[in-house]
């Protein structure tokens, strides 16, 4: 298919870099566009609704039905969400290197549907749940290995499907538009707005309608609706096959990182030339008549000199026949160095997502033992639905930043975009510290009143959800802008991978922290800080611990951010201008 050449340029009938389902040059008139891009929105809506709907209401199921402790239930949630994010890296690698985005979406959506079907069976079949607690059996029987095994199989198949789907669906939607065409480029920007809208709608449906169905009609109905919705979304997606535009595989940036590392290590004994211009680079590739893959030549930097060995042409080595695992261009090396420069920022943003994990775990456990009634009505808010305040805070913070914060920051700093990406991340991290401090104070107040026989209203949890939600808006916007802006042109898909990996490691670190705290503090008769009965524990201590760790992390982030030099400035100092598309990514 890659050998077929289009008949005309970007303003003609055939596209330069896209093909139809038969491998022919894609016609602008009959392929792609809004109709095709819209067919991906249903898949993403149900993916978001399913994943979040499972996560926010899983703690009550694990403790109330499967009879696990609070710590084990919280770790189940964080491991599930962490795996979903981490598997996005696998899905992206498979899509970029082997299957392409279309097949990746189709296959992994089917995998996700299979996982949700197994979850439905797990919650519906009596033999796959332990007997309910009652007066006759005050000691609840914990779920056995088979029951937990089926549940975990469903959860992690769902996570695998989510990872593969999430890694490709927005990219495939944008593939339906030609960036070189002004009209289609504007439509693509509108598509991203609608894509985020459908993600938000899916999240709202998850924490309201889906949680309500799970709690009142039964989880088998809630999960069954999700499975049916996913299959319907997949059917709609497949209906557009004949109209889609397909792009050629570009390879994964992870392969480039691995190739540079392997080549540098294998040549570590060779002496580096005194003049960096003697290193193999894209100019040499072009001079030899080979494809330089449109890479922009980058200036040499003095950091990570070990990696420079990858661009040494060894004695007797022919650049024309050398493998990419044996010889890389200096520009390839510099692109990997740029990723290395971002690692301190990457590492110090992980902690935010550890804080965020508490909103779907212990905050839900708090809500379960509080007064969830609305006014004098008999209606009880489902504990998992408290996450609606988190999502609402995110949705309100984004326009508030654009309309209020950004103009003020522009006048104060002179930055046309208000706050820089790293400044936005700083605000998000600061809000997360405040959120944990407030959560600790509210939890101590709840415990004190509970000892007096008073059950306080669940709406007192709103401040911690609002603060962390606002923090997510700032952190999310800042991280995405930073990684997209700073990732080298030839490794743009790496920006998504770096962002998603901070989410994954944040949730996994929550699992590690909960495990350590529960083991260290759980040697008394009361079960430690994270006791199965939340009134017997000291969850407020755990929140204070998170606040302290986050405050220390905020200091480390500040040092890393102050020492970071944006790529635009480094290239400008070397007399190199960003390519047009990179200027757009940087917000210029």
């Amino acid at each position: 298919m890659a050998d077929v050449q289009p008949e005309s340029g970007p303003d003609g009938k055939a596209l330069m870099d896209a093909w139809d389902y038969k491998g022919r040059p894609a016609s602008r008139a009959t392929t792609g566009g809004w109709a095709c891009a819209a067919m991906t929105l249903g898949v993403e809506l149900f993916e978001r609704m399913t994943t979040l709907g499972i996560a926010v209401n899983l703690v009550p199921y694990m403790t109330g039905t499967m009879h696990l402790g609070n710590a084990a239930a919280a770790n189940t949630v964080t491991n599930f969400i962490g795996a979903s994010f981490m598997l996005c890296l696998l899905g992206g690698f498979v899509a970029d290197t082997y299957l392409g985005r279309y097949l990746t979406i189709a296959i992994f959506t089917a995998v996700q549907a299979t996982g949700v079907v197994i979850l439905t069976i797990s919650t519906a079949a009596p033999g796959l749940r332990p007997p309910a607690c009652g007066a006759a059996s005050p000691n609840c029987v914990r779920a056995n290995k088979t029951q937990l095994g089926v549940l975990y199989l469903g959860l992690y198949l769902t996570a695998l499907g989510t990872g593969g789907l999430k890694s490709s669906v927005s990219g495939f939607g944008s593939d339906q538009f030609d960036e070189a065409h002004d009209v289609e480029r504007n439509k693509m920007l509108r598509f991203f707005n609608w894509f985020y809208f459908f993600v938000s709608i899916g999240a709202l449906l998850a924490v309201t309608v889906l949680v309500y169905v799970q709690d009142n009609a039964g989880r088998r109905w809630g999960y069954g609706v999700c499975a049916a919705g996913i299959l319907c979304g997949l059917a709609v997606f497949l209906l557009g096959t004949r109209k889609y535009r397909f792009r050629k595989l570009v390879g994964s940036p992870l392969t480039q990182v691995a190739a540079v590392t392997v080549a540098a290590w294998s040549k570590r004994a060779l002496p580096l030339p005194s003049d960096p211009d003697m290193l193999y680079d894209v100019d040499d590739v072009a001079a030899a008549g080979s494809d330089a893959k449109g890479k922009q030549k980058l200036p040499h930097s003095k950091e990570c000199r070990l990696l420079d060995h990858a661009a040494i042409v060894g004695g007797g080595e022919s650049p024309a026949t050398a493998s990419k695992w044996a010889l890389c261009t200096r520009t390839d090396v510099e692109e990997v160095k740029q990723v290395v420069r971002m690692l301190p920022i990457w590492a110090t943003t992980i902690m935010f997502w550890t804080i965020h994990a508490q909103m779907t775990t212990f905050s839900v456990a708090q809500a379960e033992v509080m007064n969830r009634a609305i006014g004098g009505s008999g209606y009880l808010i489902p504990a998992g639905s408290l996450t609606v305040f988190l999502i609402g805070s995110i949705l309100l913070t984004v326009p508030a930043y654009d309309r209020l914060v950004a103009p003020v920051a522009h006048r104060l700093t002179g930055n046309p975009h208000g706050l820089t990406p790293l400044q936005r991340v700083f605000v998000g991290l600061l809000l997360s510290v405040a959120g944990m401090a407030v959560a600790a104070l509210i939890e101590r107040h709840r415990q004190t009143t509970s000892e007096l026989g008073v059950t306080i209203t669940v709406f007192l949890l709103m401040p911690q959800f609002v603060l962390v939600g606002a923090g997510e808006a700032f952190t999310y916007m800042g991280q995405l802008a930073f990684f997209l802006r700073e990732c080298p042109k030839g490794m743009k898909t790496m920006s998504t991978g770096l962002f998603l990996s901070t989410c994954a490691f944040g949730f996994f670190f929550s699992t590690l922290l909960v495990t350590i705290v529960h083991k260290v503090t759980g040697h008394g008769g009361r079960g430690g800080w994270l006791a199965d009965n939340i009134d017997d524990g000291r969850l407020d201590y755990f929140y204070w611990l998170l606040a302290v760790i986050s405050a220390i992390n905020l200091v480390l982030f500040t040092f890393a951010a102050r020492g970071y030099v944006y790529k635009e400035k480094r290239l400008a100092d070397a007399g190199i201008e960003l390519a047009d598309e990179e200027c757009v990514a940087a917000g210029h």
Side-chain angles (χ1 to χ4, degrees):
M1 184 171 71
D3 294 332
V4 180
Q5 296 298 320
E7 298 171 354
S8 58
D11 293 325
K13 295 182 179 180
L15 301 180
M16 298 288 290
D17 58 351
W19 291 264
D20 66 11
Y21 76 106
K22 288 188 175 181
R24 302 169 300 194
S27 167
R28 188 185 306 280
T30 59
T31 64
W34 248 112
C36 291
M39 289 184 171
T40 66
L41 297 177
V43 173
E44 177 58 25
L45 183 147
F46 283 105
E47 177 276 315
R48 184 63 170 167
M49 188 176 82
T50 299
T51 305
L52 190 60
I54 291 171
V56 299
N57 210 27
L58 192 55
V59 165
Y61 183 74
M62 299 302 288
T63 56
T65 301
M66 305 304 278
H67 306 151
L68 271 64
N70 277 327
N75 285 347
T76 299
V77 175
T78 51
N79 287 338
F80 167 68
I81 300 177
S84 298
F85 283 121
M86 188 60 74
L87 288 168
C88 288
L89 301 181
L90 173 64
F93 177 80
V94 170
D96 289 341
T97 310
Y98 298 107
L99 296 180
R101 288 169 174 163
Y102 170 81
L103 283 177
T104 300
I105 293 171
I107 292 172
F108 282 90
T109 300
V111 171
Q112 186 188 43
T114 302
V116 179
V117 168
I118 293 175
L119 281 178
T120 305
I121 295 172
S122 172
T123 57
L128 295 178
R129 304 190 308 274
C133 300
S137 57
N139 294 323
C140 299
V141 178
R142 188 179 187 272
N144 59 40
K145 291 183 179 179
T146 300
Q147 292 165 339
L148 288 175
V150 174
L151 177 66
Y152 290 150
L153 175 63
L155 282 175
Y156 288 107
L157 276 178
T158 303
L160 176 61
T162 297
L165 171 60
K166 190 187 291 289
S167 67
S168 298
V169 66
S170 62
F172 187 75
S174 66
D175 284 346
Q176 307 311 308
F177 304 97
D178 180 14
E179 291 188 67
H181 191 272
D182 290 339
V183 174
E184 291 202 13
R185 183 167 61 249
N186 291 331
K187 289 181 179 179
M188 182 176 69
L189 295 176
R190 288 179 54 213
F191 164 75
F192 282 122
N193 292 335
W194 279 101
F195 183 84
Y196 186 73
F197 174 78
F198 271 77
V199 168
S200 301
I201 291 297
L204 286 173
L205 289 174
V207 301
T208 53
V209 176
L210 186 57
V211 170
Y212 179 83
V213 171
Q214 290 174 8
D215 285 359
N216 292 275
R219 288 177 186 268
R220 61 185 181 275
W221 290 106
Y223 294 157
V225 167
C226 287
I230 292 168
L231 291 174
C232 288
L234 176 59
V236 172
F237 174 75
L238 294 176
L239 284 175
T241 300
R242 292 175 176 267
K243 298 292 185 180
Y244 288 141
R245 295 174 186 172
F246 300 88
R247 310 282 176 170
K248 67 178 181 179
L249 301 180
V250 296
S252 171
L254 294 176
T255 304
Q256 179 179 331
V257 174
V260 168
T261 304
V262 169
W265 182 254
S266 65
K267 294 181 176 180
R268 65 190 183 280
L270 297 178
L272 286 170
S274 57
D275 183 0
D277 288 336
M278 296 178 65
L279 294 170
Y280 186 66
D281 207 350
V282 291
D283 293 341
D284 303 304
V285 176
S290 301
D291 181 15
K293 300 179 181 179
K295 289 201 173 185
Q296 180 184 26
K297 185 177 180 179
L298 298 178
H300 180 261
S301 61
K302 296 181 179 179
E303 300 97 339
C304 303
R305 293 298 301 275
L306 174 63
L307 295 177
D308 288 342
H309 288 80
I312 298 175
V313 180
E317 185 177 36
S318 172
T321 59
S323 165
K324 66 181 179 181
W325 297 91
L327 179 64
C328 305
T329 66
R330 192 182 75 181
T331 292
D332 288 336
V333 173
E334 290 301 324
E335 288 181 340
V336 174
K337 285 184 181 181
Q338 175 57 22
V339 173
V340 174
R341 289 188 194 98
M342 292 189 289
L343 291 183
I345 301 296
W346 171 86
T348 49
T349 55
I350 289 173
M351 191 62 204
F352 174 83
W353 299 103
T354 300
I355 298 295
H356 187 278
Q358 312 317 310
M359 299 300 103
T360 53
T361 53
F362 290 114
S363 292
V364 176
Q366 286 178 281
E368 281 196 289
V369 296
M370 298 174 76
N371 180 8
R372 292 180 280 122
I374 298 179
S377 68
Y379 176 74
L380 296 180
I381 303 173
S385 290
L386 266 292
T387 315
V388 73
F389 296 120
L390 180 83
I391 298 170
S393 178
I394 296 169
L395 296 179
L396 289 175
T397 301
V398 173
Y401 172 79
D402 285 338
R403 299 295 182 182
L404 301 176
V405 178
V408 174
H410 168 54
R411 286 195 294 269
L412 294 176
T413 66
N415 187 327
H417 308 290
L419 300 177
T420 67
L422 293 181
Q423 288 171 338
R424 277 177 268 174
V425 174
F426 176 86
V427 173
L429 293 177
L430 183 62
L431 288 171
S432 71
V433 175
M436 280 298 94
V438 169
L441 294 172
I442 293 174
E443 171 57 15
R444 185 59 190 145
H445 174 60
R446 187 202 65 78
Q447 286 186 324
T448 302
T449 55
S450 178
E451 291 170 359
L452 299 175
V454 179
T455 303
I456 61 175
T457 176
V458 75
F459 291 106
L460 286 177
L461 296 180
M462 277 184 61
Q464 64 200 58
F465 281 101
V466 170
L467 284 169
V468 175
E472 180 180 348
F474 277 98
T475 304
Y476 190 103
M477 290 189 299
Q479 277 187 294
L480 280 184
F482 174 76
F483 290 132
L484 182 61
R485 168 179 177 165
E486 296 302 299
C487 270
K489 178 184 175 183
M491 304 176 71
K492 279 303 175 186
T493 55
M494 192 76 173
S495 60
T496 304
L498 287 169
F499 168 69
L500 293 174
S501 61
T502 63
C503 301
F505 282 115
F507 280 91
F508 287 143
F509 183 65
S510 177
T511 297
L512 176 63
L513 201 59
V514 167
T515 301
I516 293 173
V517 168
H518 189 57
K519 185 174 183 179
V520 171
T521 66
H523 290 298
R526 294 168 65 88
W529 292 1
L530 306 176
D532 293 345
N533 184 339
I534 195 172
D535 289 330
D536 293 336
R538 291 306 303 265
L539 181 59
D540 57 321
Y541 287 174
F542 181 66
Y543 283 158
W544 279 122
L545 175 64
L546 287 172
V548 170
I549 295 175
S550 296
I552 295 172
N553 177 76
L554 180 60
V555 173
L556 296 176
F557 171 82
T558 303
F559 280 113
R562 287 175 65 88
Y564 187 85
V565 179
Y566 283 106
K567 180 178 69 174
E568 180 186 8
K569 185 178 186 304
R570 285 190 299 101
L571 294 182
D573 291 343
I576 299 175
E577 293 184 1
L578 287 175
D580 290 342
E581 61 267 33
E582 291 192 275
C583 291
V584 173
H588 293 283

